[in-house]
Amino acid sequence: MSHRCVLAVVVLAFAAGRCMCDVGDFAPCLQFFYKSWPPKGLAGTPICQRHINQYVFATLYCRPRRSPWFSAYLYSAPAGKRPTASWKFEPQLAYPGADGNMIPFPPGPLDQNVVDSQAVEPDYINSTYSRGHLNPSLHHKSHENRSATFTLTNVVPQKAGSNDGPWEDLEQTVNRTLGAYCLGEAFVVTGSIPYQNDEHWLHNHRVAVPEYMWSAYCCPNYNDNLPEKLKDAFPTYAAIGRNDRNSTEEIVPVDKTAKKQFRGYDVRRMPLETLEMYLKDRFSTVVSVFYEQCSGSD
């Protein structure tokens, strides 16, 4: 996958001097990873996503694709209504020495450095794709943390049939499952999978479109009194969802009985090991999502 994305950690760290940089290093936000261990195998630009001077989650961003490979966060049961979307950008992708807090897009013309460095709101206008959260607002408690998920560095182009259908169902299921049975911290990583060949793009190679979405959680401490249907859902579980209804069915079969608007955007639940097998096949490298597959000793 080296031709798809470039690891920019060293370059950004040098450009930002000796300051604690929120872009280029996961060091300030390792708390969002199980055992402080970020997923291994994918190259990109680490972002510690900061909102109102608080770290909220972590993202591995791919500059050439102008979209994230994954976002990682700690689950918390949601409270209150879903915030009104106020879309933001990451200033340090455009200017390494800038403040690390995400910034709402201003009215009027956009700074060209911002346009060149990341996805911007016009990329999604008049497209056939919605803005698909990797880290969803639904999986956070406070209004501030829920608002922080509305940054385009946490978003991939996602078909509405997936975003509003089976993928939303998965997010709701994870919310109910972790909220009811996870007794301690729950670590979630959600990412995107590119097309094998012939990348798809928004607006003349501006933003890369994933063929699939994936997600996995790790809850090392959970209620032993699980319902039978959830016996295999702890300590970890995973899923892959279709973002292209015309994709082949080797990874995710199509439910021919699904409602027409959601048909072809199916989600397949699976063990973490199976997800990592598919990631290895598509990225041509070993991808490890959690430290010792969420079974490391305390």
Side-chain angles (χ1 to χ4, degrees):
M1 293 302 297
S2 59
H3 65 289
R4 296 182 189 272
C5 199
V6 178
L7 186 62
V9 174
V10 176
V11 175
L12 279 172
F14 177 80
R18 294 184 176 273
C19 67
M20 184 62 77
C21 189
D22 297 327
V23 169
D25 191 356
F26 279 138
C29 56
L30 290 174
Q31 66 269 28
F32 301 118
F33 303 102
Y34 176 59
K35 298 290 187 181
S36 300
W37 195 88
K40 302 297 187 285
L42 299 177
T45 300
I47 301 176
C48 288
Q49 302 272 17
R50 182 149 54 105
H51 181 50
I52 317 178
N53 294 318
Q54 296 292 324
Y55 293 117
V56 182
F57 62 104
T59 296
L60 186 68
Y61 196 75
C62 184
R63 287 172 173 266
R65 297 170 62 84
R66 295 189 182 89
S67 64
W69 282 132
F70 65 73
S71 284
Y73 57 95
L74 285 168
Y75 166 83
S76 58
K81 295 181 179 179
R82 185 178 190 263
T84 301
S86 175
W87 291 100
K88 306 167 188 70
F89 67 94
E90 174 50 64
Q92 288 188 350
L93 285 175
Y95 298 98
D99 180 81
N101 285 294
M102 58 182 70
I103 299 175
F105 283 102
L110 293 168
D111 183 309
Q112 191 58 44
N113 277 23
V114 174
V115 174
D116 291 342
S117 66
Q118 59 201 282
V120 293
E121 290 191 288
D123 290 324
Y124 285 87
I125 296 174
N126 296 324
S127 81
T128 61
Y129 291 89
S130 64
R131 306 172 207 202
H133 285 67
L134 296 187
N135 173 9
S137 166
L138 176 68
H139 290 176
H140 295 275
K141 183 176 182 179
S142 74
H143 179 83
E144 291 77 13
N145 284 9
R146 299 188 77 179
S147 296
T149 66
F150 290 88
T151 172
L152 290 190
T153 51
N154 178 47
V155 160
V156 296
Q158 186 177 12
K159 284 292 189 179
S162 168
N163 203 2
D164 299 334
W167 193 256
E168 182 182 23
D169 292 343
L170 172 70
E171 292 174 342
Q172 294 281 3
T173 299
V174 169
N175 179 47
R176 291 191 298 270
T177 301
L178 294 180
Y181 298 103
C182 188
L183 301 180
E185 291 182 321
F187 302 84
V188 187
V189 184
T190 300
S192 60
I193 301 178
Y195 283 83
Q196 189 83 56
N197 301 297
D198 300 324
E199 290 272 32
H200 293 207
W201 298 84
L202 293 186
H203 298 312
N204 193 25
H205 285 70
R206 275 288 305 168
V207 183
V209 176
E211 186 176 13
Y212 298 96
M213 314 267 289
W214 63 270
S215 187
Y217 64 73
C218 165
C219 171
N221 300 304
Y222 55 93
N223 191 330
D224 290 331
N225 189 26
L226 293 171
E228 189 62 34
K229 66 179 181 179
L230 293 178
K231 294 292 186 182
D232 62 350
F234 287 91
T236 189
Y237 208 51
I240 295 177
R242 299 168 62 93
N243 194 39
D244 186 337
R245 66 194 332 166
N246 296 315
S247 293
T248 58
E249 300 186 50
E250 288 87 355
I251 298 177
V252 183
V254 173
D255 179 5
K256 304 300 193 297
T257 67
K259 293 182 179 179
K260 185 176 180 181
Q261 67 268 36
F262 302 138
R263 194 171 304 152
Y265 297 113
D266 304 79
V267 170
R268 174 185 167 193
R269 277 79 162 176
M270 62 188 66
L272 177 64
E273 295 88 343
T274 305
L275 167 66
E276 291 180 338
M277 177 191 71
Y278 286 119
L279 294 178
K280 178 182 179 182
D281 179 69
R282 184 55 59 97
F283 286 95
S284 300
T285 187
V286 174
V287 177
S288 300
V289 179
F290 298 115
Y291 174 77
E292 294 188 358
Q293 294 190 318
C294 189
S295 61
S297 59
D298 293 329

